[in-house]
Amino acid sequence: MKKLFFTLLFLGLCISMNAQDQPKIGDILEINEPYGQQYQYVKLPKLNILKKRGVVNNYKSVYGNKVVVEDIKTKKNGTTYVTLKKEDGSNFFGFLSTIKASYEKAIDAGELSISK
């Protein structure tokens, strides 16, 4: 009986911790510097596109930007995608109002972090 109780208690805690990891509209996140040269899970324009537009030739302008979760989509496979806009209302690179990211993968890779 005790084993069943502790098993159910453990499962309940796991489910509640997993539920807390889900984003909500209005959550504030921060874009971090990627470990490689490019972002893997935050979908930004390729560097050659930015260079052709004459904007910049690197992603340094987005490092440390605070972004707000504007929309959330969960696919059938359980992957959660978020649409992000800048907290200050300006555009990314002067022409993108929103960007998208694979939420869990971007958090795990350190490309996004939950802002405090």
Side-chain angles (χ1 to χ4, degrees), residues 41-81:
Y41 306 109
V42 176
K43 303 300 179 200
L44 295 173
K46 293 188 180 202
L47 290 174
N48 64 335
I49 302 297
L50 294 175
K51 190 172 185 179
K52 284 179 184 178
R53 285 183 158 259
V55 182
V56 293
N57 59 358
N58 59 44
Y59 294 123
K60 290 182 181 178
S61 65
V62 297
Y63 298 171
N65 282 183
K66 304 276 186 192
V67 292
V68 178
V69 176
E70 187 175 74
D71 190 29
I72 303 167
K73 300 279 187 208
T74 303
K75 300 290 182 178
K76 290 180 183 177
N77 65 2
T79 305
T80 303
Y81 293 93

Side-chain angles (χ1 to χ4, degrees), residues 4 13 22 26 33 36 50 55-56 58 69-70 74-75 77-78 83 86 90-91 99-100 103 116:
L4 178 63
L13 288 173
Q22 296 302 313
E33 184 175 351
L50 294 175
V55 182
V56 293
N58 59 44
V69 176
E70 187 175 74
T74 303
K75 300 290 182 178
N77 65 2
T83 302
K86 278 188 167 182
S90 64
N91 289 339
I99 58 173
K100 294 182 179 183
Y103 180 75
K116 297 179 182 180

